[in-house]
Amino acid sequence: MKTKLLFNGKKLLCVSLTGLALAACETVQTTQGGAVGVNRQQRMAISAEAIEQASTKEYAQVMAAAQKKGLLNQNPAYVNRVRTVASRLIQQVPAFRPDATKWDWEVNVLTSSEVNAWCMPGGKMAVYTGLIEKLRLTDDELAAVMGHEISHALREHARERASEQAVAGLGISIVSAVAGLGDIGQKGMEYAYMGLLGLPNSRSHETEADRIGVELAARAGYDPRAAVTLWQKMGQVNSGEPPKFMSTHPPRAERLSDLTAYSQRVMPLYEKARAKR
């Protein structure tokens, strides 16, 4: 009986402390739903200001290192093309969050064979030359990539992931310490967290960015169906993919199906934007 009471007491302490960590989270809706209907609420335990300050510092360091190595904005044609597409997309961000028009947006091109592009919190972007050259991107496909990356920033996915990890890390430490699981037990709980919550949430972030991205592209006058051809090209470059339960991205077939459906949904926005140009 004594042992049982002691265990129950530890369990109650664990639940109480974890509950305090969860209570510190703020429930927010970072963006409006748009035509694609992204309306999931998010729980944040870290401030937007903290994430943006860290991102701005990191971006400056990455750009400075690229400049020193002669890898920053070396191809004027690429730079002009990327910034033109980005400008048109950024003009459409008020459809999801009007405050993003006040962000200190910055777009640069890095010389690298890597097939990559990203947008940090607050609108700091980079596109790699390998992405443009290896995939032979059209402007519509470039808009699909950049719209996707901008969408991650609009939805504050980096802040959400950091918040999840902060809360999960606290909870795991408390449980393993109280239950006496040791290093092996704690590592097992960390793997369980990633498999059951961490990776699936990352996949949901990718799907949200896909859907918002096609709408941004359509509103900017870029063919949203190019998102489908983009990922078909990506499949040719990256022939293998990990099993769904081990991946932070949706399976390729699932992703293409979703992109096809949502690009069709925003076609009226694309036709309207084209008529104005």
Side-chain angles (χ1 to χ4, degrees):
M1 179 66 70
K2 184 177 180 180
T3 302
K4 184 177 181 180
L5 286 174
L6 181 60
F7 174 76
N8 286 343
K10 289 182 177 180
K11 184 176 181 181
L12 286 172
L13 174 61
C14 172
V15 170
S16 297
L17 291 174
T18 304
L20 287 174
L22 292 173
C25 291
E26 174 189 10
T27 300
V28 300
Q29 179 70 25
T30 54
T31 61
Q32 300 169 5
V36 292
V38 175
N39 293 309
R40 179 181 62 87
Q41 289 192 324
Q42 300 157 278
R43 300 193 71 178
M44 305 294 194
I46 299 176
S47 72
E49 291 76 15
I51 290 293
E52 188 169 337
Q53 287 175 6
S55 298
T56 299
K57 181 178 179 180
E58 177 67 19
Y59 187 81
Q61 292 175 345
V62 171
M63 294 304 116
Q67 178 71 59
K68 186 176 181 179
K69 295 176 181 178
L71 304 176
L72 180 63
N73 297 328
Q74 291 300 296
N75 187 317
Y78 283 173
V79 174
N80 180 66
R81 185 181 173 201
V82 166
R83 287 179 175 173
T84 296
V85 172
S87 177
R88 285 173 56 177
L89 292 169
I90 292 167
Q91 291 174 33
Q92 306 308 317
V93 299
F96 290 96
R97 54 181 302 170
D99 66 303
T101 59
K102 299 178 182 178
W103 288 0
D104 186 17
W105 294 89
E106 186 174 343
V107 185
N108 290 297
V109 177
L110 302 180
T111 301
S112 170
S113 61
E114 189 175 348
V115 178
N116 197 15
W118 40 264
C119 182
M120 285 186 171
K124 305 295 187 183
M125 303 180 66
V127 174
Y128 292 43
T129 56
L131 177 74
I132 299 171
E133 295 170 348
K134 290 186 178 181
L135 299 187
R136 298 181 181 180
L137 294 182
T138 66
D139 282 356
D140 291 322
E141 290 166 341
L142 183 57
V145 174
M146 299 181 73
H148 174 94
E149 298 304 328
I150 288 171
S151 300
H152 278 307
L154 296 178
R155 284 292 286 169
E156 299 187 44
H157 285 151
R159 178 186 171 201
E160 187 176 8
R161 285 195 301 274
S163 297
E164 291 166 359
Q165 291 167 4
V167 172
L170 176 59
I172 289 170
S173 297
I174 292 170
V175 173
S176 61
V178 172
L181 298 178
D183 292 340
I184 295 177
Q186 180 166 339
K187 183 61 66 176
M189 291 185 67
E190 289 172 356
Y191 286 142
Y193 164 75
M194 286 301 295
L196 296 175
L197 183 60
L199 294 181
N201 274 357
S202 295
R203 289 195 291 270
S204 72
H205 293 173
E206 290 300 315
T207 299
E208 288 180 348
D210 280 348
R211 294 175 181 179
I212 293 175
V214 295
E215 182 167 340
L216 287 175
R219 289 180 178 275
Y222 293 106
D223 191 337
R225 295 168 295 189
V228 177
T229 61
L230 165 70
W231 284 103
Q232 289 171 336
K233 288 182 177 181
M234 288 289 286
Q236 294 170 1
V237 173
N238 301 310
S239 57
E241 64 179 3
K244 179 175 180 178
F245 71 91
M246 289 292 289
S247 176
T248 59
H249 290 62
R252 188 172 298 118
E254 183 179 305
R255 187 172 211 165
L256 288 172
S257 177
D258 194 75
L259 282 169
T260 298
Y262 278 84
S263 62
Q264 287 297 326
R265 181 179 295 192
V266 298
M267 281 299 290
L269 296 174
Y270 169 56
E271 298 294 347
K272 183 179 180 180
R274 283 190 63 193
K276 292 180 179 180
R277 292 190 175 273

